Amino acid sequence: AASAAETAQLALSVSEERLRVALHTAGMGIIDIRRPSRAGLYSDEYLQLYGYVPEHRAWLMAGWEPLVHPDDAPGLTEFRNHVWRGNDEVVDFQARRMHRDGRWFWVHAVGRAFEPDAAGKPTRWLGTEVNVDQARRSELELQESAARLRMAQSIARLGDWRVDAETKRHRWSDEAWRGIGLEPHQGE
């Protein structure tokens, strides 16, 4: 018969395997670091997200991290400072980061800053990161397509409208309003 310690070890191994498979399947990496040292855990999946392998883990432990896109860096720095001052526990942000191959891609990070020091400032960060690049690119393409449609409608002086069958609410494009002699949303 297995001892309580062996049973607990087996349960832990099964739980860890389950987590590894789930993270790998989701393409999600874990980061668990301490301040100010940046020592902690950078999961294999986290490294793979950025195109690195376990042999590169020491770089992260020494304070290196993937570059942040110049347009996102000021906001991310401000956000981090806000969190490390102890103002938020739960963190949820998206930013462009650089992959090892040199391309920029969007990541979504969700985590928690906790274990406050004597001054009440968190000393530990535990979170996940996932590649959301395709979703962000699709979102941008949709926005660009909508802008092109609005421009084409304006040039052609054509409008469109639709009715939500459930709510019976009407939605008219700006040009549809102009087509009946009203400024957009004047008739709402």
Side-chain angles (χ1 to χ4, degrees):
S3 71
E6 290 171 332
T7 302
Q9 183 59 43
L10 178 61
L12 178 61
S13 293
V14 168
S15 180
E16 287 175 344
E17 165 121 14
R18 186 178 298 126
L19 178 60
R20 270 193 307 276
V21 169
L23 289 171
H24 181 75
T25 302
M28 189 175 287
I30 292 180
I31 181 172
D32 181 359
I33 58 172
R34 301 222 175 246
R35 276 191 57 130
S37 69
R38 292 195 57 85
L41 168 85
Y42 298 86
S43 73
D44 289 351
E45 293 81 10
Y46 178 87
L47 294 167
Q48 290 169 3
L49 182 68
Y50 293 99
Y52 294 93
V53 295
E55 291 75 28
H56 297 113
R57 195 179 328 269
W59 296 355
L60 291 135
M61 299 291 280
W64 175 87
E65 67 176 295
L67 292 175
V68 177
H69 192 279
D71 292 344
D72 300 333
L76 184 57
T77 298
E78 167 102 17
F79 186 72
R80 282 181 175 171
N81 290 338
H82 180 78
V83 169
W84 287 120
R85 284 192 298 267
N87 296 322
D88 281 325
E89 287 185 5
V90 178
V91 176
D92 186 337
F93 69 89
Q94 292 186 17
R96 286 165 289 185
R97 305 293 297 265
M98 186 176 280
H99 191 274
R100 185 174 185 206
D101 64 15
R103 67 183 160 87
W104 294 108
F105 72 107
W106 285 94
V107 295
H108 183 190
V110 178
R112 177 177 293 274
F114 61 108
E115 292 185 5
D117 61 14
K121 295 180 179 181
T123 61
R124 186 173 171 199
W125 162 261
L126 175 64
T128 59
E129 288 190 22
V130 65
N131 182 336
V132 293
D133 195 60
Q134 187 56 49
R136 286 299 297 253
R137 289 183 190 278
S138 295
E139 182 182 314
L140 290 172
E141 286 174 12
L142 183 60
Q143 290 171 358
E144 289 171 7
S145 179
R148 284 193 308 274
L149 174 61
R150 284 190 302 274
M151 182 184 299
Q153 286 179 325
S154 177
I155 291 168
R157 297 189 174 201
L158 294 173
D160 71 279
W161 58 272
R162 62 180 160 261
V163 178
D164 183 311
E166 275 186 34
T167 66
K168 309 291 190 244
R169 289 194 54 153
H170 293 244
R171 189 247 165 243
W172 290 33
S173 70
D174 291 351
E175 283 304 312
W177 285 110
R178 289 185 188 105
I180 61 169
L182 298 174
E183 283 302 309
H185 312 293
Q186 185 178 347
E188 290 182 356

